[in-house]
């Protein structure tokens, strides 16, 4: 994918946040995010991998398409996608967002404003 997100959450502090997609055991298939704290002189200080399966990112999509665990497509995405749609189409990112906020609160306390309150699902 080659997509990396960099942030300087606290002005004047050398620590940076880097977020990349993590690969899986299958070629060109991604199974989560790798979140790292990086110092410009010391390099990577800490990192964590947040898997899509652990955070329910593709649970709804996989349930709707009857994708079963232990298959290449389960809770992953790959470089192939429908034209005009992102590879991660169908992702529900609230779990990942919450995990990233919890992780970054340790390294960048007070840098992020609290997320908007969650909406309840209408049935």
């Amino acid at each position: 994918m080659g997509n990396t997100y960099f942030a300087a959450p606290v002005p004047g502090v050398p620590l940076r946040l880097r977020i990349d997609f993590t690969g899986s055991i299958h070629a060109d298939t991604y199974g989560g995010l790798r979140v790292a704290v990086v110092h410009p002189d010391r390099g990577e200080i800490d990192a964590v991998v947040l898997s899509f399966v652990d955070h329910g990112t593709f649970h709804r999509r996989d349930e709707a398409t009857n994708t079963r665990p232990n298959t290449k497509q389960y809770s992953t995405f790959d470089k192939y996608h429908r034209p005009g749609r992102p590879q991660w189409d169908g992702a529900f990112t609230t779990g990942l967002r919450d995990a990233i906020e919890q992780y970054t609160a340790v390294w960048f306390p007070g840098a992020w404003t609290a997320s908007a309150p969650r909406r309840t699902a209408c049935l």
Side-chain angles (χ1 to χ4, degrees), residues 6 9 22-24 31 35 45 52 55 57 61 74 89 96 103 111 121 123:
F6 282 97
T22 60
S24 72
V35 182
I45 306 277
F52 296 144
H55 294 89
T57 307
R61 178 203 68 188
Y74 184 74
D89 193 29
L96 285 173
Y103 178 77
L123 300 177

Side-chain angles (χ1 to χ4, degrees), residues 2-38:
N3 294 327
T4 301
Y5 170 79
F6 282 97
V10 179
V13 173
L15 294 180
R16 302 292 182 258
L17 180 68
R18 181 181 69 216
I19 302 175
D20 303 283
F21 289 112
T22 60
S24 72
I25 61 171
H26 302 284
D28 301 319
T29 303
Y30 304 92
L33 298 176
R34 185 172 191 278
V35 182
V37 176
V38 181

